[in-house]
Amino acid sequence: ATFLPLRLHVDQDALDFLTRFFEFKYDDPIISTPKSEPVFFQRVEINSIRVKLDFKPKRVNYTGIRSGHTNEFMNFFILDRADMILRHSIIYGVSGFDRLGKTLNDIWMPDIKKNQLPGVLAGLAPVRSLVNVGGGVRDIIVVPVREYRKDGRVVRSFQKGALAFAKTTTSELTKLGAKLAIGTQSLLQGAEDFLSQPQFERHDVSAGWQDAHLDEEEKKQISLYADQPIGVMHGLRGAYTSLERDLLTARDAIVAMPGEIMESRSAGDAARAVMRGAPTVILRPALGLSKAVGQTLMGATNSLDPANRRRIEEKYKKH
């Protein structure tokens, strides 16, 4: 079998759903049907498949990590255009699609870990920016040589090379700053959600990606990278709106706290009222600031690099 190159945008929720779906087995003792024989593959040949992968985690299952599930560590990292090749494989005598998939996984994963880690690690969000900056450094040499061969003008060739380097470097540094700001926003949102919940209701800290004013179903669907501002001014307007909203939320929490303390019937109730409001009072201004910085830098990135805006529009659905 031959496959065209694959461009995959993988979301953690979708990955979890597919994993559960293919692992699901329906065992009903009431309904008994004769088991059909699995498909037998006498010979399967799959040519090399080039894959470019984006992966966006949303949460980390710390309970799973404590239980020894090391695959949860991948949910700490964002992959952006990670390159890998699923090598040419020939398999003989396999029964069932599940066995076929496991055999292919046993062939491809060791090869990727052993021979293709640079391409995968280059997809890590901070590393991707450094790789692209390296491409900008290359433009200092490549662009002047190409332009000199075209028209023979030395000064103009170096000017174009320097301009290409400056544009790439500025765009990548702005993009990296936006990712750091959004990552900070996610951590602060997760910390606020965790600390604001009663002890018996606490679950694993989410990786964020949520807006505090949306219902639970929408929170699972919308990424902080969706609906990006198209320019600097659009980003500044969004930054002002989000910062104002979060500061007002913190102010409301400060105003409401004395009333809750006065209504408390004991010192323990008063302490719990303070503990409920403290995360919002302390973290919400920082959350609003990181969100404002992220909005501004995303607007600047899309203004400097229109191609990035097109990639984002293809990758995330609009709301």
Side-chain angles (χ1 to χ4, degrees), residues 137-301:
V137 174
R138 183 193 60 187
D139 290 340
I140 296 179
I141 300 174
V142 174
V143 173
V145 171
R146 184 176 66 240
E147 293 297 323
Y148 178 75
R149 289 175 178 174
K150 186 185 299 183
D151 55 20
R153 299 170 65 178
V154 179
V155 177
R156 179 178 175 81
S157 300
F158 278 104
Q159 286 177 341
K160 285 192 173 183
L163 181 62
F165 169 72
K167 181 179 179 180
T168 301
T169 304
T170 304
S171 175
E172 291 303 323
L173 291 178
T174 305
K175 193 182 300 182
L176 179 59
K179 290 178 180 178
L180 292 175
I182 291 174
T184 303
Q185 176 187 346
S186 297
L187 291 174
L188 291 173
Q189 181 67 63
E192 181 187 0
D193 292 343
F194 180 77
L195 295 173
S196 298
Q197 291 176 353
Q199 185 68 29
F200 61 88
E201 292 181 356
R202 289 181 183 174
H203 302 289
D204 293 321
V205 178
S206 171
W209 304 55
Q210 301 171 346
D211 190 290
H213 300 279
L214 299 174
D215 60 38
E216 200 63 32
E217 184 63 26
E218 289 177 318
K219 286 180 180 180
K220 296 179 181 179
Q221 296 177 355
I222 300 177
S223 165
L224 293 179
Y225 290 92
D227 298 328
Q228 293 191 9
I230 60 176
V232 178
M233 294 307 299
H234 189 192
L236 287 173
R237 286 195 293 269
Y240 175 80
T241 301
S242 63
L243 181 60
E244 180 184 35
R245 182 173 62 241
D246 288 325
L247 290 177
L248 289 176
T249 302
R251 185 202 64 182
D252 293 342
I254 294 173
V255 172
M257 193 178 297
E260 294 183 7
I261 294 174
M262 293 295 294
E263 294 175 358
S264 301
R265 298 180 179 180
S266 65
D269 291 342
R272 281 190 288 271
V274 172
M275 291 178 64
R276 281 196 304 270
T280 300
V281 173
I282 297 172
L283 296 177
R284 182 61 64 162
L287 175 62
L289 181 60
S290 63
K291 190 184 300 184
V293 173
Q295 286 286 313
T296 304
L297 292 179
M298 281 194 295
T301 299

